[in-house]
């Protein structure tokens, strides 16, 4: 009996070892790109290669500064236009190559039409809401001195979630907006720090973790049942009734602070209540919504969330990224021309 158990465990160990060896050297998938920082919380490893298979496909590297795309340094030349992109997985862009990402389209279009030196920096991180993006900007992205900050948001990003056990979060103290770093005390953060060595290096552990996330989201059904099941994924609005949004005092203070300290654009992926839209505009933040642009594609028989290569629905596809890059470039060029006229 003992011998059978021993050989069974040995075969399991050898199978895992061979699988790990294959995944490591075939580079068919990537270990975790993220690491934990006592100030930033979840952030990116520097100079790290990645390969992702999801509704799309991507390969690339994080740069030497720890964000996606070309590694533009903290110093910015006076004659350059530097744009920081803040947001969640739609900005992060693990579904496509950087050359097809709206970051690259935006950079190329503005440069081509204005003859300016344009640098667009991608600070997107999966799962970020407005609170997360603001904290990440204040603690990291603002070091790169952008002329313009574009927050890519959906309606649910204006509602702060209480589960911030691996990220800093905002709070109000004596009418001032401050950032709390209490996540350092959480069990989740400390457990993740203690196990970071193996999680960050093992492909098998990463695959198990990704499967756990898919099961948690309910996305496993679409994989198992394929065309017989339609998954209502992250491309849909979080709220059926946008009036349910809890736009609290802290989020209002974040919007106010962004309007006061940054030259910012809020690019919305869906609708928000008129009261929040009014608050954004009253704080000197430009409000843009890509709904009309994407809805026109749907009317033309093209779903901006459908990926032909996998037959899946998900994030913006390559064509949608191109449209959004051009749309945003035209809006920013219009702003530049208007500012020039007012001088």
């Amino acid at each position: 009996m003992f011998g059978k158990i021993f050989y069974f465990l040995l075969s399991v160990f050898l199978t895992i070892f061979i699988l790990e060896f294959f995944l490591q050297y075939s580079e068919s998938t990537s270990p975790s790109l993220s690491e934990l920082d006592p100030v930033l919380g979840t952030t990116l490893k520097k100079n790290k290669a990645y390969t992702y298979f999801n509704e799309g496909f991507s390969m690339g590297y994080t740069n030497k500064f720890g964000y996606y795309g070309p590694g533009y340094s903290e110093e910015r030349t006076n004659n350059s236009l530097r744009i920081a992109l803040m947001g969640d997985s739609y900005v992060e862009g693990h579904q496509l190559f950087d050359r097809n990402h709206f970051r690259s389209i935006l950079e190329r279009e503005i440069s081509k039409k204005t003859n300016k030196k344009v640098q667009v920096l991608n600070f997107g991180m999966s799962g970020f809401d407005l609170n997360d993006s603001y904290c990440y900007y204040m603690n990291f992205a603002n070091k790169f001195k952008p002329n313009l900050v574009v927050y890519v948001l959906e309606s649910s990003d204006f509602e702060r979630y209480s589960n911030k056990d691996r990220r800093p979060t905002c709070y109000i103290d004596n009418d001032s907006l401050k950032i709390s770093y209490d996540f350092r005390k959480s069990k989740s953060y400390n457990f993740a720090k203690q196990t970071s060595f193996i999680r960050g290096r093992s492909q098998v552990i990463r695959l198990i973790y990704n499967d756990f996330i898919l099961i948690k989201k309910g996305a496993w059904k679409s994989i198992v049942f394929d065309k017989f099941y339609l998954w209502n994924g992250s491309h849909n609005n979080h709220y059926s009734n946008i009036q349910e949004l809890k736009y609290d005092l802290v989020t209002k203070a974040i919007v106010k602070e962004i309007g006061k300290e940054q030259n910012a654009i809020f690019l919305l992926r869906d609708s928000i209540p008129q009261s929040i839209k009014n608050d954004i505009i009253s704080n000197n933040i430009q409000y843009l919504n890509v709904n009309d642009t994407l809805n026109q594609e749907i009317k033309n028989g093209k779903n901006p969330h459908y990926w032909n290569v996998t037959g899946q629905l998900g994030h913006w596809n390559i064509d949608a990224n191109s449209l959004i890059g051009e749309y945003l470039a035209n809006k920013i060029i219009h702003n530049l021309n208007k500012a020039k006229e007012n001088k």
Side-chain angles (χ1 to χ4, degrees), residues 332-343:
I332 292 172
I333 291 168
H334 174 77
N335 292 346
L336 293 172
N337 291 336
K338 196 172 178 181
K340 195 183 294 184
E341 289 171 6
N342 292 334
K343 278 188 177 179

Side-chain angles (χ1 to χ4, degrees), residues 138-183:
M138 295 302 294
N139 289 326
F140 180 52
N142 70 340
K143 296 176 183 176
F144 295 85
K145 305 174 183 67
N147 307 90
L148 175 66
V149 187
V150 178
Y151 289 84
V152 180
L153 305 163
E154 67 175 12
S155 54
S156 61
D157 292 331
F158 290 90
E159 182 167 314
R160 295 186 311 124
Y161 297 99
S162 57
N163 186 17
K164 298 289 185 187
D165 55 359
R166 294 191 190 181
R167 299 173 189 161
T169 188
C170 293
Y171 69 101
I172 295 175
D173 182 36
N174 294 326
D175 295 326
S176 296
L177 184 67
K178 296 185 177 179
I179 298 176
S180 168
Y181 301 94
D182 285 348
F183 70 89

Side-chain angles (χ1 to χ4, degrees), residues 69-87:
Y72 300 127
S73 66
E74 292 183 10
E75 293 305 314
R76 171 176 59 85
T77 57
N78 292 331
N79 61 343
S80 66
L81 173 62
R82 180 170 285 188
I83 302 168
L85 300 177
M86 312 299 300

Side-chain angles (χ1 to χ4, degrees), residues 242-254:
I242 59 172
Q243 303 305 325
E244 296 173 5
L245 276 173
K246 296 176 183 177
Y247 185 55
D248 64 12
L249 292 175
V250 174
T251 308
K252 284 178 71 73
I254 291 171

